[in-house]
C-alpha cells in the first residue's frame, strides 16, 4: 500500500473513496497551488490488466477537452504506484448528492430508517432532473463525436458541485475508442462495467457487438433511478440481473412517482429499449427532446405530450445488427433448445452459403441460456487444419472450461467433484485434451497405455462422460461447431460413434456450407449414420434474403419511406443475391465511396441509382472485402496477413512474435483494422501494449 505521506508534491486534504484496487484523494498540488484529485492504483503487485486499465484511462481522456468532462492532467509514478492527476471541480458523485438530499428530507420528516443500499429512495424534482440530465447528455454528445464509448454511465461516475450545480462525467477506465467491441460470454463478476446499469449487449449474452448505443441504455437506467428513487432491476443474483436487462421490463415509473409526465416515461423507455436499434440513435436527438421538456416545465410547469425521437436524425451510416428474414428459423432454433432444456438430447444442423448468417442465427440462443443458467461454447473448423484431430472440439471445450474457471470457489469445488465422479480414473485423458482442465481437477494420475483402437475408444468414452457431467438440468449445454464441411477425420469418427449429442440437456449445433458438401462427403455420411441411431436431428436451411427483407433492412438503416427505396433495394438484391453479409458490406462501400450520402439540409439520405450503376462495383463479396483491405496502410495490411496465418482468433503476443516487433507497434499496426471493423477485439487485451510504453 502507498502511504499518504509518500505522495510527494501534494498536500492531501480529504479521502474521497477507498476501493479494492484504487484510492481517491482530494489534494493541493504544491507546485501549481491548486486543488486536484489523485486517483491511485494502490496495489503493491498489480496485474498487467490493472496497469493497462489505469494507463488506458489516461490515454482515453487526456485529449478530451470539454466543460462536461473531468480533465486528466497527467499520470505520475510515486513509490512504484501509478497516480492519475485529475481536475477538481469541488464536486461529489451524483449518487452521493442525491443520498444527501434524501437524508435531509428524511431528517426534516423525522424518519430514521435508512434506504436500501440498492436504491437512492429520493426522487429529484423535474426542474432538478432536467438541470442534471441535460449537461450529462451534452457530455455524451461530446464523447460520441470524439468516438468515445464510456461503457459505465451511472450516478457514481457523474460529478456535481453541490453549490454551483456544475456537472461533469468522470472515470474512463473501461471506455473505448473503437466503433464496436465484442463482449465475451463470461461470469457476471468478470464483466466490465456495473451490472445494475449494464446494457443487454454489454452482458455478452446478446447477438450483437457493443457500440455507442450501449451508453444510452445505461443513461436510461440512470434516468429511471433519478425519477423513481430506485434501480429498475434489484436482485442479489448477478445472473438474474443480467436476465432482467435482456428480457424483462422494469416496473412503470408512474408506480413510484405518479407526477412524472407520460412523455418523460416514454423517453426513458426509449433509452432502455432492449433492442439497440429502438433506442435513441444520437445524443443530439435525445438532447432536443430533453430541452423541449425543460423549456415547457420552466414556462408552464407542465409538459405537453409528444412522440420522442422525432428529431433523432442519424447522419452516420448505422446498419442495424438484428437479423432480417429469419423469424421462422429463430423460432425453430428456440423450440429445439426448449426441448433440450427439458431433458432431451438433440442435434441441429444449420446449412447455407458463406455469409448467409448461420453463426448469427445460432447466437440468437444465448439470451435464453442466461435465463436457464445454461452454458454456450463454440469452435470453428479450419480448412488448413483438417490434419489436426479434434482441434475444433478441443477449442470448444477450452472455451467451456474458461467459463467454468470464472465461477466462485464454491462453484468450482462443486464442478471438480462432479467432473471427477464422471471421469474417475480417466480424468488425465480429458486433461491431456484440454490442459486448462487441470486448473479445476488438479494433478491427476497417468492412465495405462492401451492399443490404438482401445485408446481411441477410451477417448470417446471420456468425451461422453465429460459432457454428461457438464450438461445438467441446472445447466443445459449448447455446443456450436462451425464450418463442418472442414471437419477432421478424428472428429467425424467421434461424431459418428455417437459420443457427441446423445446426452440429456445437451444440444449439439453443427453448421456447414451445403454448397461445399456432396452426398458422399464424410460429414454427410456421418450425419446419416447418427440419424439412424435415433437421436432427434433437426435441420435449418438458410436461404438468401427476399426483396421485402432487404427493404426492411434498408428502411431501418436510412429511416426513409418505402417508395424511395424500392429501386435501390432491387439493385442491392441483384448485386448481392440476397446474401445478408454482402448486402451490409455493399451499403458500407457505397457510403465510403460517397454514393450514399446524408443531406443535412433536408435531414435525409440521398443516392443516385444511375451513378451507382455506372460505378465498377464488385458483384463478389470477396472482391469487395479485398478492396476494403487494400485501402488500409501497408503496415496494417502486413499485420492482417500474419493474423490470417494464425487462426480466426489470434492473440496480440503471438502476433507480436510473428511480426518481430513490439507489442505496442503490433497494436498500432492493428488499430486501423479495428477502427474500420475488419477485426473485433475479444476482451480488453488490446489495451495491454500501453503497459510497455
Amino acid at each position: 500500500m502507498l502511504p499518504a505521506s509518500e505522495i510527494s508534491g501534494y498536500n492531501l486534504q480529504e479521502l474521497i473513496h477507498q476501493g479494492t484496487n484504487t484510492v481517491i484523494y482530494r489534494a493541493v498540488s504544491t507546485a501549481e497551488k491548486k486543488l486536484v484529485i489523485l486517483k491511485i492504483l494502490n496495489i503493491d503487485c498489480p496485474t498487467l490488466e490493472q496497469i493497462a486499465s489505469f494507463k488506458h484511462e489516461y490515454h482515453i481522456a487526456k485529449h478530451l477537452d470539454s466543460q462536461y468532462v473531468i480533465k486528466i492532467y497527467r499520470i505520475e509514478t510515486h513509490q512504484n504506484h501509478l497516480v492519475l492527476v485529475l481536475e477538481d471541480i469541488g464536486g461529489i458523485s451524483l449518487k452521493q448528492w442525491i443520498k444527501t438530499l434524501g437524508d435531509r428530507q428524511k431528517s426534516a420528516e423525522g424518519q430514521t430508517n435508512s434506504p436500501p443500499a440498492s436504491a437512492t429512495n429520493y426522487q429529484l424534482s423535474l426542474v432538478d432532473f432536467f438541470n442534471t440530465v441535460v449537461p450529462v447528455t451534452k457530455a455524451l454528445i461530446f464523447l460520441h463525436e470524439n468516438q468515445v464509448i464510456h461503457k459505465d454511465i451511472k450516478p457514481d461516475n457523474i460529478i456535481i458541485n453541490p453549490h454551483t450545480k456544475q456537472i461533469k462525467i468522470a472515470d474512463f477506465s473501461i471506455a473505448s475508442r473503437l466503433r464496436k467491441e465484442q463482449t465475451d460470454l463470461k461470469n457476471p463478476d468478470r464483466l466490465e462495467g456495473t451490472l445494475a446499469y449494464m446494457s443487454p449487449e454489454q452482458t455478452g449474452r446478446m447477438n450483437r457487438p457493443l457500440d455507442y448505443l450501449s451508453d444510452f441504455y445505461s443513461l436510461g437506467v440512470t434516468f429511471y433511478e433519478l425519477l423513481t428513487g430506485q434501480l429498475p432491476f434489484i436482485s442479489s443474483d448477478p445472473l438474474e440481473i443480467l436476465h432482467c436487462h435482456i428480457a424483462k421490463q422494469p416496473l412503470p415509473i408512474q408506480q413510484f412517482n405518479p407526477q412524472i409526465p407520460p412523455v418523460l416515461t416514454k423517453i426513458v423507455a426509449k433509452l432502455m429499449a432492449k433492442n439497440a436499434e429502438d433506442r435513441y440513435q444520437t445524443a443530439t436527438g435525445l438532447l432536443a427532446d430533453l430541452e423541449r421538456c425543460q423549456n415547457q416545465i420552466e414556462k408552464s410547469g407542465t409538459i405537453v405530450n409528444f412522440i420522442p425521437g422525432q428529431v433523432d436524425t442519424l447522419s452516420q451510416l448505422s446498419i442495424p445488427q438484428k437479423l432480417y428474414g429469419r423469424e421462422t428459423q429463430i423460432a425453430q432454433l428456440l423450440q429445439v433448445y426448449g426441448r433440450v432444456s427439458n431433458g432431451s438430447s438433440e442435434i441441429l444442423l444449420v446449412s447455407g452459403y458463406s455469409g448467409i448468417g448461420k453463426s448469427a442465427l445460432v447466437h440468437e440462443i444465448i439470451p435464453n441460456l442466461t435465463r436457464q443458467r445454461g452454458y454456450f461454447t463454440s469452435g470453428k473448423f479450419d480448412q488448413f487444419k483438417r490434419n489436426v484431430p479434434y482441434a475444433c472440439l478441443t477449442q470448444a471445450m477450452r472455451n467451456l472450461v474458461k467459463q467454468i474457471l470464472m465461477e466462485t470457489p464454491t462453484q468450482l469445488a462443486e464442478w471438480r467433484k462432479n467432473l471427477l465422479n464422471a471421469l474417475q480414473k480417466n480424468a488425465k485423458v480429458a486433461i491431456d485434451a484440454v490442459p486448462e482442465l487441470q486448473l479445476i481437477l488438479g494433478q491427476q494420475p497417468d492412465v495405462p497405455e492401451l492399443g490404438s483402437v482401445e485408446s481411441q475408444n477410451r477417448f470417446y468414452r471420456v468425451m461422453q462422460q465429460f459432457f454428461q457431467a457438464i450438461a445438467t438440468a441446472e445447466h443445459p449445454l449448447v455446443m456450436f461447431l462451425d464450418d463442418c464441411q472442414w471437419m477432421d477425420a478424428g472428429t467425424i469418427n467421434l461424431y459418428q460413434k455417437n459420443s457427441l449429442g446423445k446426452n440429456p440437456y445437451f444440444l449439439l449445433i453443427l453448421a456447414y456450407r451445403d454448397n461445399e458438401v456432396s452426398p458422399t462427403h464424410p460429414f454427410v455420411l456421418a450425419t446419416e449414420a447418427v440419424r439412424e441411431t435415433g437421436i432427434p436431428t433437426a435441420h435449418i436451411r438458410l436461404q438468401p434474403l427476399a426483396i421485402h427483407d432487404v427493404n426492411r433492412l434498408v428502411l431501418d438503416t436510412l429511416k426513409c419511406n418505402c417508395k424511395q427505396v424500392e429501386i435501390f433495394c432491387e439493385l442491392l438484391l441483384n448485386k448481392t443475391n440476397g446474401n445478408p453479409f454482402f448486402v451490409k458490406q455493399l451499403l458500407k462501400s457505397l457510403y465510403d465511396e460517397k454514393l450514399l450520402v446524408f443531406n443535412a439540409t433536408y435531414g435525409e439520405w440521398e443516392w443516385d441509382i444511375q451513378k451507382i450503376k455506372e460505378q465498377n462495383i464488385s458483384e463478389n463479396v470477396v472482391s469487395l472485402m479485398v478492396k476494403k483491405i487494400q485501402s488500409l496502410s501497408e503496415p496494417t495490411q502486413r499485420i492482417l496477413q500474419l493474423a490470417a496465418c494464425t487462426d480466426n482468433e489470434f492473440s496480440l503476443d503471438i502476433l507480436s512474435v510473428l511480426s518481430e516487433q513490439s507489442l505496442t507497434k503490433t497494436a498500432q499496426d492493428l488499430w486501423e483494422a479495428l477502427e474500420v471493423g475488419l477485426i473485433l477485439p475479444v476482451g480488453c487485451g488490446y489495451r495491454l501494449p500501453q503497459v510497455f510504453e
Side-chain angles (χ1 to χ4, degrees):
M1 301 291 284
L2 177 63
S5 59
E6 295 187 14
I7 309 177
S8 59
Y10 299 95
N11 291 326
L12 303 187
Q13 305 290 307
E14 177 188 359
L15 175 63
I16 296 175
H17 170 77
Q18 182 155 9
T20 306
N21 301 326
T22 60
V23 60
I24 300 175
Y25 286 103
R26 178 169 279 118
V28 175
S29 169
T30 54
E32 300 163 299
K33 301 292 189 291
K34 70 175 183 181
L35 282 169
V36 294
I37 299 295
L38 302 181
K39 183 176 180 179
I40 304 165
L41 182 58
N42 207 24
I43 307 172
D44 290 330
C45 298
T47 64
L48 284 177
E49 288 79 7
Q50 289 167 335
I51 297 172
S53 176
F54 220 70
K55 290 192 173 185
H56 173 78
E57 180 172 6
Y58 171 68
H59 284 285
I60 284 278
K62 67 178 178 179
H63 298 305
L64 297 178
D65 187 9
S66 167
Q67 62 178 313
Y68 302 113
V69 175
I70 292 290
K71 294 180 178 64
I72 288 188
Y73 297 131
R74 54 192 171 270
I75 187 168
E76 300 176 352
T77 304
H78 293 268
Q79 298 293 319
N80 295 320
H81 288 262
L82 290 174
V83 178
L84 287 175
V85 184
L86 302 98
E87 172 188 19
D88 182 14
I89 65 169
I92 58 177
S93 75
L94 186 60
K95 191 87 166 183
Q96 290 173 294
W97 182 60
I98 294 172
K99 185 179 184 302
T100 301
L101 294 178
D103 290 345
R104 288 177 186 169
Q105 182 189 57
K106 292 170 76 67
S107 177
E109 295 172 355
Q111 299 177 18
T112 56
N113 293 332
S114 299
S118 58
T120 61
N121 278 344
Y122 180 80
Q123 301 159 2
L124 286 180
S125 69
L126 287 181
V127 172
D128 284 340
F129 173 79
F130 288 115
N131 287 340
T132 301
V133 301
V134 165
V136 174
T137 305
K138 289 179 178 177
L140 271 193
I141 292 175
F142 173 79
L143 293 179
H144 292 172
E145 284 178 347
N146 285 272
Q147 294 188 330
V148 173
I149 309 169
H150 189 278
K151 291 172 60 181
D152 202 15
I153 298 292
K154 59 180 180 178
D156 285 308
N157 289 335
I158 298 169
I159 308 301
I160 180 171
N161 183 307
H163 307 293
T164 66
K165 300 299 188 290
Q166 182 185 20
I167 290 177
K168 295 196 175 193
I169 282 185
D171 196 347
F172 293 85
S173 55
I174 63 170
S176 174
R177 281 194 177 276
L178 298 176
R179 294 180 187 178
K180 293 179 182 178
E181 278 191 8
Q182 190 69 47
T183 305
D184 254 344
L185 188 64
K186 60 179 70 170
N187 186 285
D189 296 333
R190 303 296 182 94
L191 288 169
E192 283 193 329
T194 308
L195 288 183
Y197 302 87
M198 192 171 288
S199 70
E201 58 271 25
Q202 196 171 350
T203 67
R205 287 161 167 80
M206 294 292 285
N207 191 15
R208 62 163 290 138
L210 178 150
D211 59 20
Y212 69 96
L213 297 176
S214 176
D215 282 345
F216 293 133
Y217 184 92
S218 302
L219 187 64
V221 177
T222 300
F223 284 12
Y224 186 101
E225 185 177 12
L226 296 179
L227 292 169
T228 66
Q230 74 171 39
L231 291 164
F233 307 116
I234 301 172
S235 174
S236 59
D237 184 351
L239 269 178
E240 176 63 23
I241 293 287
L242 295 190
H243 175 62
C244 288
H245 284 310
I246 292 168
K248 290 189 176 180
Q249 294 299 326
L251 292 172
I253 288 176
Q254 277 92 353
Q255 187 168 321
F256 301 98
N257 191 346
Q259 306 304 317
I260 299 300
V263 68
L264 192 49
T265 66
K266 291 177 185 176
I267 289 173
V268 176
K270 188 173 179 66
L271 285 167
M272 289 184 63
K274 306 298 184 186
N275 188 341
E277 284 74 32
D278 295 331
R279 297 173 203 153
Y280 280 92
Q281 300 298 293
T282 65
T284 306
L286 170 62
L287 180 64
D289 286 351
L290 292 175
E291 288 184 331
R292 181 175 176 179
C293 294
Q294 186 180 36
N295 291 335
Q296 291 182 21
I297 283 289
E298 291 174 351
K299 290 178 181 178
S300 64
T302 59
I303 300 175
V304 178
N305 207 11
F306 63 87
I307 300 173
Q310 289 176 308
V311 292
D312 188 28
T313 305
L314 187 64
S315 59
Q316 300 293 316
L317 186 72
S318 180
I319 301 173
Q321 300 294 317
K322 63 182 180 182
L323 302 187
Y324 291 87
R326 302 295 185 233
E327 292 77 11
T328 302
Q329 291 82 3
I330 291 172
Q332 185 180 350
L333 172 71
L334 297 182
Q335 285 171 3
V336 172
Y337 175 69
R339 294 193 295 268
V340 169
S341 63
N342 286 322
S344 173
S345 63
E346 297 197 26
I347 294 174
L348 176 63
L349 305 174
V350 181
S351 63
Y353 280 78
S354 175
I356 205 71
K358 300 184 293 295
S359 297
L361 173 73
V362 171
H363 282 82
E364 286 291 311
I365 207 170
I366 293 178
N368 282 51
L369 278 167
T370 300
R371 176 169 55 86
Q372 296 176 305
R373 302 174 182 273
Y375 284 99
F376 177 91
T377 188
S378 63
K380 193 176 181 71
F381 291 100
D382 190 319
Q383 67 183 119
F384 301 113
K385 290 185 178 179
R386 281 182 281 187
N387 61 332
V388 181
Y390 315 117
C392 174
L393 180 65
T394 53
Q395 179 190 9
M397 292 174 67
R398 280 196 181 98
N399 289 336
L400 181 58
V401 169
K402 286 176 183 176
Q403 291 179 54
I404 294 173
L405 282 168
M406 292 179 182
E407 302 283 11
T408 64
T410 303
Q411 291 168 321
L412 273 176
E414 189 66 24
W415 278 118
R416 183 176 189 273
K417 175 184 171 185
N418 293 342
L419 284 166
L420 287 176
N421 283 341
L423 300 173
Q424 297 180 359
K425 60 183 180 181
N426 290 324
K428 187 66 166 61
V429 176
I431 291 172
D432 289 342
V434 183
E436 293 88 344
L437 198 54
Q438 185 168 322
L439 297 172
I440 300 174
L441 303 181
Q443 189 75 31
Q444 295 297 316
D446 291 332
V447 295
E449 288 191 15
L450 301 175
S452 59
V453 175
E454 291 84 356
S455 179
Q456 187 180 64
N457 289 336
R458 179 174 61 189
F459 178 75
Y460 292 166
R461 188 169 61 255
V462 166
M463 290 298 99
Q464 187 174 343
Q465 291 167 340
F466 174 81
F467 290 117
Q468 277 178 342
I470 300 289
T472 63
E474 294 77 22
H475 303 286
L477 173 63
V478 176
M479 186 166 72
F480 171 43
L481 304 182
D482 199 5
D483 282 333
C484 290
Q485 71 277 359
W486 298 323
M487 187 180 283
D488 62 274
T491 308
I492 283 177
N493 285 334
L494 181 64
Y495 171 44
Q496 189 167 342
K497 293 283 186 182
N498 210 10
S499 294
L500 294 175
K502 71 174 184 179
N503 296 320
Y505 305 103
F506 182 28
L507 173 58
L508 176 64
I509 304 179
L510 305 171
Y512 64 100
R513 302 175 188 175
D514 50 6
N515 60 307
E516 296 187 22
V517 299
S518 66
T520 58
H521 190 284
F523 170 68
V524 175
L525 295 176
T527 298
E528 290 303 319
V530 169
R531 270 201 186 102
E532 290 175 3
T533 65
I535 293 182
T537 305
H539 192 173
I540 296 176
R541 289 184 176 87
L542 293 182
Q543 301 297 330
L545 298 182
I547 184 64
H548 60 271
D549 300 319
V550 177
N551 273 340
R552 286 170 52 214
L553 189 156
V554 173
L555 288 171
D556 288 349
T557 301
L558 305 183
K559 306 290 191 298
C560 51
N561 66 59
C562 190
K563 289 194 177 294
Q564 284 179 291
V565 302
E566 283 182 359
I567 299 175
F568 184 47
C569 290
E570 288 176 7
L571 175 66
L572 291 174
L573 186 67
N574 292 334
K575 285 282 186 183
T576 63
N577 291 320
N579 184 294
F581 177 76
F582 196 179
V583 169
K584 293 178 180 180
Q585 292 301 321
L586 185 53
L587 277 171
K588 291 177 184 175
S589 177
L590 294 174
Y591 175 72
D592 291 340
E593 296 179 22
K594 304 293 189 290
L595 296 171
L596 176 63
V597 296
F598 184 77
N599 187 320
T601 304
Y602 296 103
E604 60 184 28
W605 291 90
E606 293 179 346
W607 58 89
D608 188 321
I609 291 292
Q610 193 55 42
K611 275 187 180 179
I612 294 175
K613 287 181 177 179
E614 290 171 0
Q615 296 294 316
N616 183 25
I617 298 174
S618 171
E619 297 191 13
N620 181 290
V621 68
V622 175
S623 301
L624 195 68
M625 297 305 294
V626 167
K627 185 178 179 181
K628 191 171 184 177
I629 293 171
Q630 288 174 341
S631 68
L632 302 174
S633 64
E634 188 174 327
T636 300
Q637 289 188 49
R638 177 177 174 271
I639 207 73
L640 285 178
Q641 288 172 344
L642 292 172
C645 293
T646 57
D647 209 337
N648 60 306
E649 289 187 8
F650 56 88
S651 62
L652 201 57
D653 53 350
I654 290 176
L655 203 55
S656 172
V657 172
L658 290 175
S659 61
E660 299 180 337
Q661 54 189 22
S662 69
L663 279 170
T664 302
K665 182 65 170 65
T666 306
Q668 288 171 348
D669 290 349
L670 270 178
W671 188 256
E672 193 178 350
L674 282 165
E675 282 189 311
V676 299
L678 279 170
I679 56 175
L680 284 177
V682 178
C684 55
Y686 71 95
R687 303 173 192 161
L688 287 177
Q690 295 168 2
V691 175
F692 303 101
E693 288 184 343

